[in-house]
PDB file of all heavy atoms in Angstrom:
ATOM      1  N   TRP A   1    -193.922  42.966  94.960  1.00 89.00           N
ATOM      2  CA  TRP A   1    -193.419  43.319  93.687  1.00 89.00           C
ATOM      3  C   TRP A   1    -191.901  43.566  93.896  1.00 89.00           C
ATOM      4  O   TRP A   1    -191.087  43.387  92.838  1.00 89.00           O
ATOM      5  CB  TRP A   1    -194.022  44.524  93.081  1.00 89.00           C
ATOM      6  CG  TRP A   1    -195.409  44.346  92.518  1.00 89.00           C
ATOM      7  CD1 TRP A   1    -196.018  43.169  92.321  1.00 89.00           C
ATOM      8  CD2 TRP A   1    -196.326  45.317  91.999  1.00 89.00           C
ATOM      9  NE1 TRP A   1    -197.252  43.267  91.758  1.00 89.00           N
ATOM     10  CE2 TRP A   1    -197.461  44.627  91.579  1.00 89.00           C
ATOM     11  CE3 TRP A   1    -196.370  46.717  92.042  1.00 89.00           C
ATOM     12  CZ2 TRP A   1    -198.631  45.330  91.114  1.00 89.00           C
ATOM     13  CZ3 TRP A   1    -197.389  47.352  91.482  1.00 89.00           C
ATOM     14  CH2 TRP A   1    -198.580  46.716  90.965  1.00 89.00           C
ATOM     15  N   ALA A   2    -191.448  44.102  94.914  1.00 85.00           N
ATOM     16  CA  ALA A   2    -190.034  44.384  95.137  1.00 85.00           C
ATOM     17  C   ALA A   2    -189.188  43.180  95.124  1.00 85.00           C
ATOM     18  O   ALA A   2    -188.003  43.219  94.816  1.00 85.00           O
ATOM     19  CB  ALA A   2    -189.833  45.149  96.544  1.00 85.00           C
ATOM     20  N   ARG A   3    -189.740  42.008  95.396  1.00 81.00           N
ATOM     21  CA  ARG A   3    -189.037  40.867  95.496  1.00 81.00           C
ATOM     22  C   ARG A   3    -189.327  39.935  94.386  1.00 81.00           C
ATOM     23  O   ARG A   3    -188.851  38.757  94.290  1.00 81.00           O
ATOM     24  CB  ARG A   3    -189.443  40.063  96.832  1.00 81.00           C
ATOM     25  CG  ARG A   3    -189.122  40.839  98.011  1.00 81.00           C
ATOM     26  CD  ARG A   3    -189.669  40.339  99.285  1.00 81.00           C
ATOM     27  NE  ARG A   3    -189.271  41.073 100.489  1.00 81.00           N
ATOM     28  CZ  ARG A   3    -189.483  42.356 100.916  1.00 81.00           C
ATOM     29  NH1 ARG A   3    -190.327  43.048 100.197  1.00 81.00           N
ATOM     30  NH2 ARG A   3    -189.052  42.804 102.074  1.00 81.00           N
ATOM     31  N   TYR A   4    -190.038  40.493  93.343  1.00 78.00           N
ATOM     32  CA  TYR A   4    -190.354  39.608  92.120  1.00 78.00           C
ATOM     33  C   TYR A   4    -189.516  40.102  90.925  1.00 78.00           C
ATOM     34  O   TYR A   4    -189.527  41.252  90.596  1.00 78.00           O
ATOM     35  CB  TYR A   4    -191.907  39.793  91.886  1.00 78.00           C
ATOM     36  CG  TYR A   4    -192.513  38.424  91.246  1.00 78.00           C
ATOM     37  CD1 TYR A   4    -192.631  37.368  91.962  1.00 78.00           C
ATOM     38  CD2 TYR A   4    -192.946  38.527  89.921  1.00 78.00           C
ATOM     39  CE1 TYR A   4    -193.142  36.239  91.341  1.00 78.00           C
ATOM     40  CE2 TYR A   4    -193.467  37.445  89.285  1.00 78.00           C
ATOM     41  CZ  TYR A   4    -193.623  36.223  90.039  1.00 78.00           C
ATOM     42  OH  TYR A   4    -194.135  35.194  89.433  1.00 78.00           O
ATOM     43  N   PRO A   5    -188.980  39.101  90.161  1.00 72.00           N
ATOM     44  CA  PRO A   5    -188.108  39.550  89.074  1.00 72.00           C
ATOM     45  C   PRO A   5    -188.784  39.953  87.770  1.00 72.00           C
ATOM     46  O   PRO A   5    -188.673  39.206  86.802  1.00 72.00           O
ATOM     47  CB  PRO A   5    -187.213  38.291  88.926  1.00 72.00           C
ATOM     48  CG  PRO A   5    -188.136  37.109  89.272  1.00 72.00           C
ATOM     49  CD  PRO A   5    -189.003  37.773  90.374  1.00 72.00           C
ATOM     50  N   PHE A   6    -189.529  40.979  87.741  1.00 73.00           N
ATOM     51  CA  PHE A   6    -190.239  41.459  86.560  1.00 73.00           C
ATOM     52  C   PHE A   6    -189.222  41.696  85.383  1.00 73.00           C
ATOM     53  O   PHE A   6    -189.478  41.379  84.171  1.00 73.00           O
ATOM     54  CB  PHE A   6    -191.015  42.658  86.820  1.00 73.00           C
ATOM     55  CG  PHE A   6    -192.218  42.536  87.663  1.00 73.00           C
ATOM     56  CD1 PHE A   6    -192.044  42.789  89.099  1.00 73.00           C
ATOM     57  CD2 PHE A   6    -193.406  41.984  87.172  1.00 73.00           C
ATOM     58  CE1 PHE A   6    -193.245  42.587  89.830  1.00 73.00           C
ATOM     59  CE2 PHE A   6    -194.504  41.827  87.975  1.00 73.00           C
ATOM     60  CZ  PHE A   6    -194.386  42.088  89.371  1.00 73.00           C
ATOM     61  N   ASP A   7    -187.993  42.180  85.763  1.00 67.00           N
ATOM     62  CA  ASP A   7    -187.026  42.445  84.794  1.00 67.00           C
ATOM     63  C   ASP A   7    -186.655  41.246  83.959  1.00 67.00           C
ATOM     64  O   ASP A   7    -186.402  41.177  82.712  1.00 67.00           O
ATOM     65  CB  ASP A   7    -185.869  43.133  85.295  1.00 67.00           C
ATOM     66  CG  ASP A   7    -185.260  42.435  86.567  1.00 67.00           C
ATOM     67  OD1 ASP A   7    -186.034  41.660  87.123  1.00 67.00           O
ATOM     68  OD2 ASP A   7    -184.103  42.655  86.853  1.00 67.00           O
ATOM     69  N   VAL A   8    -186.515  40.162  84.772  1.00 66.00           N
ATOM     70  CA  VAL A   8    -186.115  38.771  84.066  1.00 66.00           C
ATOM     71  C   VAL A   8    -187.269  38.332  83.273  1.00 66.00           C
ATOM     72  O   VAL A   8    -187.061  37.806  82.102  1.00 66.00           O
ATOM     73  CB  VAL A   8    -185.832  37.760  85.154  1.00 66.00           C
ATOM     74  CG1 VAL A   8    -185.531  36.400  84.558  1.00 66.00           C
ATOM     75  CG2 VAL A   8    -184.624  38.196  86.044  1.00 66.00           C
ATOM     76  N   ILE A   9    -188.512  38.371  83.753  1.00 69.00           N
ATOM     77  CA  ILE A   9    -189.717  37.796  83.012  1.00 69.00           C
ATOM     78  C   ILE A   9    -189.910  38.557  81.769  1.00 69.00           C
ATOM     79  O   ILE A   9    -190.073  38.024  80.580  1.00 69.00           O
ATOM     80  CB  ILE A   9    -190.916  37.888  83.914  1.00 69.00           C
ATOM     81  CG1 ILE A   9    -190.784  37.045  85.165  1.00 69.00           C
ATOM     82  CG2 ILE A   9    -192.165  37.604  83.167  1.00 69.00           C
ATOM     83  CD1 ILE A   9    -191.890  37.171  86.155  1.00 69.00           C
ATOM     84  N   ASN A  10    -189.948  39.971  81.865  1.00 65.00           N
ATOM     85  CA  ASN A  10    -190.192  40.792  80.647  1.00 65.00           C
ATOM     86  C   ASN A  10    -189.124  40.869  79.671  1.00 65.00           C
ATOM     87  O   ASN A  10    -189.322  41.275  78.526  1.00 65.00           O
ATOM     88  CB  ASN A  10    -190.713  42.132  81.187  1.00 65.00           C
ATOM     89  CG  ASN A  10    -192.062  42.173  81.745  1.00 65.00           C
ATOM     90  OD1 ASN A  10    -192.939  41.447  81.406  1.00 65.00           O
ATOM     91  ND2 ASN A  10    -192.157  42.889  82.849  1.00 65.00           N
ATOM     92  N   ALA A  11    -187.916  40.409  79.946  1.00 64.00           N
ATOM     93  CA  ALA A  11    -186.764  40.351  79.089  1.00 64.00           C
ATOM     94  C   ALA A  11    -186.800  39.015  78.252  1.00 64.00           C
ATOM     95  O   ALA A  11    -186.053  38.944  77.300  1.00 64.00           O
ATOM     96  CB  ALA A  11    -185.481  40.399  79.767  1.00 64.00           C
ATOM     97  N   ALA A  12    -187.673  38.081  78.572  1.00 64.00           N
ATOM     98  CA  ALA A  12    -187.700  36.772  77.974  1.00 64.00           C
ATOM     99  C   ALA A  12    -188.192  36.869  76.556  1.00 64.00           C
ATOM    100  O   ALA A  12    -189.085  37.713  76.291  1.00 64.00           O
ATOM    101  CB  ALA A  12    -188.475  35.800  78.741  1.00 64.00           C
ATOM    102  N   HIS A  13    -187.706  36.114  75.706  1.00 60.00           N
ATOM    103  CA  HIS A  13    -188.147  36.032  74.265  1.00 60.00           C
ATOM    104  C   HIS A  13    -189.575  35.616  74.146  1.00 60.00           C
ATOM    105  O   HIS A  13    -190.020  34.684  74.798  1.00 60.00           O
ATOM    106  CB  HIS A  13    -187.274  35.023  73.463  1.00 60.00           C
ATOM    107  CG  HIS A  13    -187.472  35.029  72.046  1.00 60.00           C
ATOM    108  ND1 HIS A  13    -187.408  36.105  71.286  1.00 60.00           N
ATOM    109  CD2 HIS A  13    -188.060  33.908  71.298  1.00 60.00           C
ATOM    110  CE1 HIS A  13    -187.672  35.766  69.996  1.00 60.00           C
ATOM    111  NE2 HIS A  13    -188.054  34.517  69.927  1.00 60.00           N
ATOM    112  N   ASN A  14    -190.323  36.429  73.392  1.00 67.00           N
ATOM    113  CA  ASN A  14    -191.692  36.134  73.045  1.00 67.00           C
ATOM    114  C   ASN A  14    -192.681  36.478  74.260  1.00 67.00           C
ATOM    115  O   ASN A  14    -193.866  36.160  74.055  1.00 67.00           O
ATOM    116  CB  ASN A  14    -191.920  34.755  72.568  1.00 67.00           C
ATOM    117  CG  ASN A  14    -191.409  34.468  71.161  1.00 67.00           C
ATOM    118  OD1 ASN A  14    -191.287  35.405  70.367  1.00 67.00           O
ATOM    119  ND2 ASN A  14    -191.069  33.314  70.807  1.00 67.00           N
ATOM    120  N   ARG A  15    -192.162  37.030  75.334  1.00 75.00           N
ATOM    121  CA  ARG A  15    -192.986  37.426  76.365  1.00 75.00           C
ATOM    122  C   ARG A  15    -194.036  38.502  76.021  1.00 75.00           C
ATOM    123  O   ARG A  15    -195.151  38.580  76.477  1.00 75.00           O
ATOM    124  CB  ARG A  15    -192.195  37.782  77.600  1.00 75.00           C
ATOM    125  CG  ARG A  15    -193.141  38.174  78.766  1.00 75.00           C
ATOM    126  CD  ARG A  15    -194.077  37.154  79.265  1.00 75.00           C
ATOM    127  NE  ARG A  15    -195.079  37.714  80.317  1.00 75.00           N
ATOM    128  CZ  ARG A  15    -196.242  37.116  80.567  1.00 75.00           C
ATOM    129  NH1 ARG A  15    -196.767  36.083  79.841  1.00 75.00           N
ATOM    130  NH2 ARG A  15    -197.013  37.581  81.523  1.00 75.00           N
ATOM    131  N   GLY A  16    -193.605  39.468  75.175  1.00 79.00           N
ATOM    132  CA  GLY A  16    -194.299  40.609  74.787  1.00 79.00           C
ATOM    133  C   GLY A  16    -195.756  40.252  74.213  1.00 79.00           C
ATOM    134  O   GLY A  16    -196.745  40.756  74.781  1.00 79.00           O
ATOM    135  N   PRO A  17    -195.800  39.543  73.190  1.00 86.00           N
ATOM    136  CA  PRO A  17    -197.132  39.212  72.557  1.00 86.00           C
ATOM    137  C   PRO A  17    -198.058  38.503  73.575  1.00 86.00           C
ATOM    138  O   PRO A  17    -199.258  38.781  73.687  1.00 86.00           O
ATOM    139  CB  PRO A  17    -196.831  38.229  71.434  1.00 86.00           C
ATOM    140  CG  PRO A  17    -195.384  38.681  71.038  1.00 86.00           C
ATOM    141  CD  PRO A  17    -194.682  38.987  72.312  1.00 86.00           C
ATOM    142  N   GLU A  18    -197.543  37.611  74.335  1.00 89.00           N
ATOM    143  CA  GLU A  18    -198.363  36.872  75.406  1.00 89.00           C
ATOM    144  C   GLU A  18    -198.988  38.008  76.450  1.00 89.00           C
ATOM    145  O   GLU A  18    -200.117  37.925  76.707  1.00 89.00           O
ATOM    146  CB  GLU A  18    -197.447  35.857  76.173  1.00 89.00           C
ATOM    147  CG  GLU A  18    -197.160  34.689  75.244  1.00 89.00           C
ATOM    148  CD  GLU A  18    -196.279  33.684  76.132  1.00 89.00           C
ATOM    149  OE1 GLU A  18    -195.910  33.996  77.248  1.00 89.00           O
ATOM    150  OE2 GLU A  18    -196.048  32.541  75.522  1.00 89.00           O
ATOM    151  N   ALA A  19    -198.030  38.779  76.863  1.00 90.00           N
ATOM    152  CA  ALA A  19    -198.469  39.740  77.876  1.00 90.00           C
ATOM    153  C   ALA A  19    -199.499  40.738  77.325  1.00 90.00           C
ATOM    154  O   ALA A  19    -200.417  41.080  78.013  1.00 90.00           O
ATOM    155  CB  ALA A  19    -197.246  40.588  78.387  1.00 90.00           C
ATOM    156  N   VAL A  20    -199.318  41.217  76.121  1.00 93.00           N
ATOM    157  CA  VAL A  20    -200.286  42.043  75.449  1.00 93.00           C
ATOM    158  C   VAL A  20    -201.688  41.404  75.415  1.00 93.00           C
ATOM    159  O   VAL A  20    -202.688  41.951  75.723  1.00 93.00           O
ATOM    160  CB  VAL A  20    -199.894  42.452  73.962  1.00 93.00           C
ATOM    161  CG1 VAL A  20    -200.914  43.042  73.269  1.00 93.00           C
ATOM    162  CG2 VAL A  20    -198.621  43.394  74.005  1.00 93.00           C
ATOM    163  N   GLN A  21    -201.700  40.126  74.967  1.00 95.00           N
ATOM    164  CA  GLN A  21    -202.933  39.468  74.891  1.00 95.00           C
ATOM    165  C   GLN A  21    -203.611  39.217  76.246  1.00 95.00           C
ATOM    166  O   GLN A  21    -204.763  39.389  76.448  1.00 95.00           O
ATOM    167  CB  GLN A  21    -202.733  38.009  74.253  1.00 95.00           C
ATOM    168  CG  GLN A  21    -204.038  37.027  74.307  1.00 95.00           C
ATOM    169  CD  GLN A  21    -205.096  37.748  73.404  1.00 95.00           C
ATOM    170  OE1 GLN A  21    -204.859  38.455  72.422  1.00 95.00           O
ATOM    171  NE2 GLN A  21    -206.322  37.519  73.806  1.00 95.00           N
ATOM    172  N   GLU A  22    -202.722  38.913  77.284  1.00 96.00           N
ATOM    173  CA  GLU A  22    -203.317  38.777  78.682  1.00 96.00           C
ATOM    174  C   GLU A  22    -203.862  40.122  79.208  1.00 96.00           C
ATOM    175  O   GLU A  22    -204.853  40.125  79.785  1.00 96.00           O
ATOM    176  CB  GLU A  22    -202.173  38.263  79.520  1.00 96.00           C
ATOM    177  CG  GLU A  22    -201.720  36.823  79.228  1.00 96.00           C
ATOM    178  CD  GLU A  22    -200.439  36.437  79.703  1.00 96.00           C
ATOM    179  OE1 GLU A  22    -199.815  37.132  80.397  1.00 96.00           O
ATOM    180  OE2 GLU A  22    -199.940  35.263  79.285  1.00 96.00           O
ATOM    181  N   HIS A  23    -203.197  41.196  78.917  1.00 96.00           N
ATOM    182  CA  HIS A  23    -203.725  42.481  79.236  1.00 96.00           C
ATOM    183  C   HIS A  23    -205.096  42.734  78.567  1.00 96.00           C
ATOM    184  O   HIS A  23    -205.985  43.247  79.247  1.00 96.00           O
ATOM    185  CB  HIS A  23    -202.767  43.646  78.819  1.00 96.00           C
ATOM    186  CG  HIS A  23    -201.560  43.787  79.709  1.00 96.00           C
ATOM    187  ND1 HIS A  23    -200.570  44.651  79.400  1.00 96.00           N
ATOM    188  CD2 HIS A  23    -201.088  43.160  80.851  1.00 96.00           C
ATOM    189  CE1 HIS A  23    -199.626  44.580  80.377  1.00 96.00           C
ATOM    190  NE2 HIS A  23    -199.979  43.687  81.223  1.00 96.00           N
ATOM    191  N   ASN A  24    -205.200  42.383  77.354  1.00 97.00           N
ATOM    192  CA  ASN A  24    -206.440  42.624  76.678  1.00 97.00           C
ATOM    193  C   ASN A  24    -207.567  41.776  77.284  1.00 97.00           C
ATOM    194  O   ASN A  24    -208.758  42.188  77.355  1.00 97.00           O
ATOM    195  CB  ASN A  24    -206.239  42.282  75.106  1.00 97.00           C
ATOM    196  CG  ASN A  24    -205.379  43.278  74.311  1.00 97.00           C
ATOM    197  OD1 ASN A  24    -205.356  44.384  74.818  1.00 97.00           O
ATOM    198  ND2 ASN A  24    -204.915  42.827  73.242  1.00 97.00           N
ATOM    199  N   GLU A  25    -207.255  40.600  77.690  1.00 97.00           N
ATOM    200  CA  GLU A  25    -208.247  39.801  78.274  1.00 97.00           C
ATOM    201  C   GLU A  25    -208.767  40.322  79.619  1.00 97.00           C
ATOM    202  O   GLU A  25    -209.968  40.219  79.995  1.00 97.00           O
ATOM    203  CB  GLU A  25    -207.710  38.340  78.552  1.00 97.00           C
ATOM    204  CG  GLU A  25    -207.469  37.500  77.190  1.00 97.00           C
ATOM    205  CD  GLU A  25    -206.693  36.257  77.442  1.00 97.00           C
ATOM    206  OE1 GLU A  25    -206.352  35.911  78.738  1.00 97.00           O
ATOM    207  OE2 GLU A  25    -206.546  35.486  76.488  1.00 97.00           O
ATOM    208  N   ILE A  26    -207.748  40.899  80.423  1.00 98.00           N
ATOM    209  CA  ILE A  26    -208.127  41.428  81.593  1.00 98.00           C
ATOM    210  C   ILE A  26    -209.052  42.735  81.444  1.00 98.00           C
ATOM    211  O   ILE A  26    -210.117  42.859  82.002  1.00 98.00           O
ATOM    212  CB  ILE A  26    -206.836  42.010  82.396  1.00 98.00           C
ATOM    213  CG1 ILE A  26    -206.110  40.788  82.790  1.00 98.00           C
ATOM    214  CG2 ILE A  26    -207.299  42.886  83.644  1.00 98.00           C
ATOM    215  CD1 ILE A  26    -204.655  41.171  83.322  1.00 98.00           C
ATOM    216  N   LEU A  27    -208.734  43.566  80.414  1.00 98.00           N
ATOM    217  CA  LEU A  27    -209.560  44.739  80.098  1.00 98.00           C
ATOM    218  C   LEU A  27    -210.843  44.314  79.524  1.00 98.00           C
ATOM    219  O   LEU A  27    -211.865  44.997  79.927  1.00 98.00           O
ATOM    220  CB  LEU A  27    -208.827  45.479  79.007  1.00 98.00           C
ATOM    221  CG  LEU A  27    -207.518  46.278  79.567  1.00 98.00           C
ATOM    222  CD1 LEU A  27    -206.720  46.837  78.325  1.00 98.00           C
ATOM    223  CD2 LEU A  27    -207.780  47.286  80.563  1.00 98.00           C
ATOM    224  N   GLN A  28    -210.972  43.285  78.803  1.00 98.00           N
ATOM    225  CA  GLN A  28    -212.313  42.843  78.296  1.00 98.00           C
ATOM    226  C   GLN A  28    -213.162  42.476  79.478  1.00 98.00           C
ATOM    227  O   GLN A  28    -214.411  42.751  79.471  1.00 98.00           O
ATOM    228  CB  GLN A  28    -212.060  41.654  77.358  1.00 98.00           C
ATOM    229  CG  GLN A  28    -211.485  42.008  75.908  1.00 98.00           C
ATOM    230  CD  GLN A  28    -211.146  40.786  75.183  1.00 98.00           C
ATOM    231  OE1 GLN A  28    -211.458  39.653  75.550  1.00 98.00           O
ATOM    232  NE2 GLN A  28    -210.473  41.047  74.045  1.00 98.00           N
ATOM    233  N   ALA A  29    -212.689  41.755  80.459  1.00 98.00           N
ATOM    234  CA  ALA A  29    -213.438  41.422  81.611  1.00 98.00           C
ATOM    235  C   ALA A  29    -213.801  42.509  82.414  1.00 98.00           C
ATOM    236  O   ALA A  29    -214.943  42.661  83.037  1.00 98.00           O
ATOM    237  CB  ALA A  29    -212.681  40.439  82.377  1.00 98.00           C
ATOM    238  N   LEU A  30    -212.942  43.544  82.595  1.00 98.00           N
ATOM    239  CA  LEU A  30    -213.255  44.760  83.385  1.00 98.00           C
ATOM    240  C   LEU A  30    -214.379  45.507  82.620  1.00 98.00           C
ATOM    241  O   LEU A  30    -215.294  46.084  83.281  1.00 98.00           O
ATOM    242  CB  LEU A  30    -212.057  45.567  83.480  1.00 98.00           C
ATOM    243  CG  LEU A  30    -210.863  45.036  84.359  1.00 98.00           C
ATOM    244  CD1 LEU A  30    -209.637  46.106  84.365  1.00 98.00           C
ATOM    245  CD2 LEU A  30    -211.393  44.794  85.807  1.00 98.00           C
ATOM    246  N   ALA A  31    -214.369  45.546  81.315  1.00 97.00           N
ATOM    247  CA  ALA A  31    -215.257  46.298  80.488  1.00 97.00           C
ATOM    248  C   ALA A  31    -216.659  45.838  80.658  1.00 97.00           C
ATOM    249  O   ALA A  31    -217.728  46.416  80.627  1.00 97.00           O
ATOM    250  CB  ALA A  31    -214.891  46.354  79.019  1.00 97.00           C
ATOM    251  N   THR A  32    -216.753  44.461  80.862  1.00 97.00           N
ATOM    252  CA  THR A  32    -218.003  43.829  81.044  1.00 97.00           C
ATOM    253  C   THR A  32    -218.517  43.754  82.469  1.00 97.00           C
ATOM    254  O   THR A  32    -219.667  43.206  82.869  1.00 97.00           O
ATOM    255  CB  THR A  32    -218.127  42.364  80.403  1.00 97.00           C
ATOM    256  OG1 THR A  32    -217.051  41.561  81.152  1.00 97.00           O
ATOM    257  CG2 THR A  32    -217.824  42.446  78.940  1.00 97.00           C
ATOM    258  N   GLY A  33    -217.817  44.168  83.449  1.00 97.00           N
ATOM    259  CA  GLY A  33    -217.910  44.103  84.833  1.00 97.00           C
ATOM    260  C   GLY A  33    -218.083  42.699  85.401  1.00 97.00           C
ATOM    261  O   GLY A  33    -218.626  42.392  86.418  1.00 97.00           O
ATOM    262  N   ASP A  34    -217.340  41.787  84.720  1.00 97.00           N
ATOM    263  CA  ASP A  34    -217.354  40.255  85.199  1.00 97.00           C
ATOM    264  C   ASP A  34    -216.179  40.132  86.126  1.00 97.00           C
ATOM    265  O   ASP A  34    -215.023  39.943  85.705  1.00 97.00           O
ATOM    266  CB  ASP A  34    -217.299  39.445  83.906  1.00 97.00           C
ATOM    267  CG  ASP A  34    -217.444  37.886  84.163  1.00 97.00           C
ATOM    268  OD1 ASP A  34    -217.175  37.621  85.373  1.00 97.00           O
ATOM    269  OD2 ASP A  34    -217.684  37.202  83.267  1.00 97.00           O
ATOM    270  N   ALA A  35    -216.384  40.106  87.440  1.00 96.00           N
ATOM    271  CA  ALA A  35    -215.294  39.987  88.428  1.00 96.00           C
ATOM    272  C   ALA A  35    -214.608  38.692  88.323  1.00 96.00           C
ATOM    273  O   ALA A  35    -213.369  38.483  88.397  1.00 96.00           O
ATOM    274  CB  ALA A  35    -215.889  40.252  89.714  1.00 96.00           C
ATOM    275  N   ALA A  36    -215.451  37.680  88.204  1.00 96.00           N
ATOM    276  CA  ALA A  36    -214.874  36.267  88.050  1.00 96.00           C
ATOM    277  C   ALA A  36    -213.870  36.161  87.008  1.00 96.00           C
ATOM    278  O   ALA A  36    -212.742  35.645  87.099  1.00 96.00           O
ATOM    279  CB  ALA A  36    -215.913  35.186  88.092  1.00 96.00           C
ATOM    280  N   SER A  37    -214.287  36.530  85.671  1.00 97.00           N
ATOM    281  CA  SER A  37    -213.433  36.484  84.548  1.00 97.00           C
ATOM    282  C   SER A  37    -212.212  37.339  84.714  1.00 97.00           C
ATOM    283  O   SER A  37    -211.185  37.003  84.288  1.00 97.00           O
ATOM    284  CB  SER A  37    -214.280  36.808  83.302  1.00 97.00           C
ATOM    285  OG  SER A  37    -215.278  35.986  83.127  1.00 97.00           O
ATOM    286  N   ALA A  38    -212.443  38.508  85.311  1.00 97.00           N
ATOM    287  CA  ALA A  38    -211.306  39.436  85.479  1.00 97.00           C
ATOM    288  C   ALA A  38    -210.268  38.838  86.418  1.00 97.00           C
ATOM    289  O   ALA A  38    -209.025  38.862  86.212  1.00 97.00           O
ATOM    290  CB  ALA A  38    -211.693  40.805  85.993  1.00 97.00           C
ATOM    291  N   MET A  39    -210.737  38.180  87.407  1.00 97.00           N
ATOM    292  CA  MET A  39    -209.804  37.581  88.430  1.00 97.00           C
ATOM    293  C   MET A  39    -209.161  36.264  87.755  1.00 97.00           C
ATOM    294  O   MET A  39    -207.862  36.105  88.032  1.00 97.00           O
ATOM    295  CB  MET A  39    -210.488  37.087  89.770  1.00 97.00           C
ATOM    296  CG  MET A  39    -211.026  38.188  90.522  1.00 97.00           C
ATOM    297  SD  MET A  39    -212.296  37.870  91.764  1.00 97.00           S
ATOM    298  CE  MET A  39    -211.335  36.900  92.940  1.00 97.00           C
ATOM    299  N   ILE A  40    -209.825  35.607  87.041  1.00 97.00           N
ATOM    300  CA  ILE A  40    -209.215  34.423  86.302  1.00 97.00           C
ATOM    301  C   ILE A  40    -208.168  34.920  85.404  1.00 97.00           C
ATOM    302  O   ILE A  40    -207.054  34.364  85.168  1.00 97.00           O
ATOM    303  CB  ILE A  40    -210.278  33.610  85.596  1.00 97.00           C
ATOM    304  CG1 ILE A  40    -211.114  32.947  86.596  1.00 97.00           C
ATOM    305  CG2 ILE A  40    -209.662  32.657  84.593  1.00 97.00           C
ATOM    306  CD1 ILE A  40    -212.457  32.278  85.958  1.00 97.00           C
ATOM    307  N   ALA A  41    -208.408  35.904  84.625  1.00 97.00           N
ATOM    308  CA  ALA A  41    -207.533  36.616  83.606  1.00 97.00           C
ATOM    309  C   ALA A  41    -206.314  37.098  84.309  1.00 97.00           C
ATOM    310  O   ALA A  41    -205.190  36.875  83.795  1.00 97.00           O
ATOM    311  CB  ALA A  41    -208.199  37.705  82.751  1.00 97.00           C
ATOM    312  N   MET A  42    -206.479  37.777  85.448  1.00 96.00           N
ATOM    313  CA  MET A  42    -205.306  38.145  86.112  1.00 96.00           C
ATOM    314  C   MET A  42    -204.343  37.035  86.631  1.00 96.00           C
ATOM    315  O   MET A  42    -203.235  37.107  86.550  1.00 96.00           O
ATOM    316  CB  MET A  42    -205.630  39.082  87.311  1.00 96.00           C
ATOM    317  CG  MET A  42    -204.438  39.635  88.160  1.00 96.00           C
ATOM    318  SD  MET A  42    -203.360  40.620  86.998  1.00 96.00           S
ATOM    319  CE  MET A  42    -204.346  42.146  86.746  1.00 96.00           C
ATOM    320  N   ARG A  43    -205.020  36.012  87.091  1.00 95.00           N
ATOM    321  CA  ARG A  43    -204.401  34.779  87.668  1.00 95.00           C
ATOM    322  C   ARG A  43    -203.532  34.214  86.495  1.00 95.00           C
ATOM    323  O   ARG A  43    -202.409  33.787  86.588  1.00 95.00           O
ATOM    324  CB  ARG A  43    -205.259  33.813  88.197  1.00 95.00           C
ATOM    325  CG  ARG A  43    -204.642  32.530  88.819  1.00 95.00           C
ATOM    326  CD  ARG A  43    -205.516  31.515  89.293  1.00 95.00           C
ATOM    327  NE  ARG A  43    -204.863  30.514  90.021  1.00 95.00           N
ATOM    328  CZ  ARG A  43    -204.500  30.410  91.339  1.00 95.00           C
ATOM    329  NH1 ARG A  43    -205.009  31.363  92.026  1.00 95.00           N
ATOM    330  NH2 ARG A  43    -203.861  29.404  91.798  1.00 95.00           N
ATOM    331  N   LYS A  44    -204.183  34.085  85.297  1.00 95.00           N
ATOM    332  CA  LYS A  44    -203.487  33.529  84.137  1.00 95.00           C
ATOM    333  C   LYS A  44    -202.149  34.373  83.952  1.00 95.00           C
ATOM    334  O   LYS A  44    -201.132  33.853  83.492  1.00 95.00           O
ATOM    335  CB  LYS A  44    -204.429  33.496  82.964  1.00 95.00           C
ATOM    336  CG  LYS A  44    -203.829  33.095  81.627  1.00 95.00           C
ATOM    337  CD  LYS A  44    -204.753  33.247  80.511  1.00 95.00           C
ATOM    338  CE  LYS A  44    -204.116  33.031  79.145  1.00 95.00           C
ATOM    339  NZ  LYS A  44    -205.032  33.068  77.989  1.00 95.00           N
TER     340      LYS A  44
END
């Protein structure tokens, strides 16, 4: 993480709505205990 430009990524236009949706997908997979889906969602 120290070497990854999160500041550049999160400053990009329209990144917010996409990231919110991706967080929700991760949380949905965690809620169901589906490891494969959670890993796919994090990769996405």
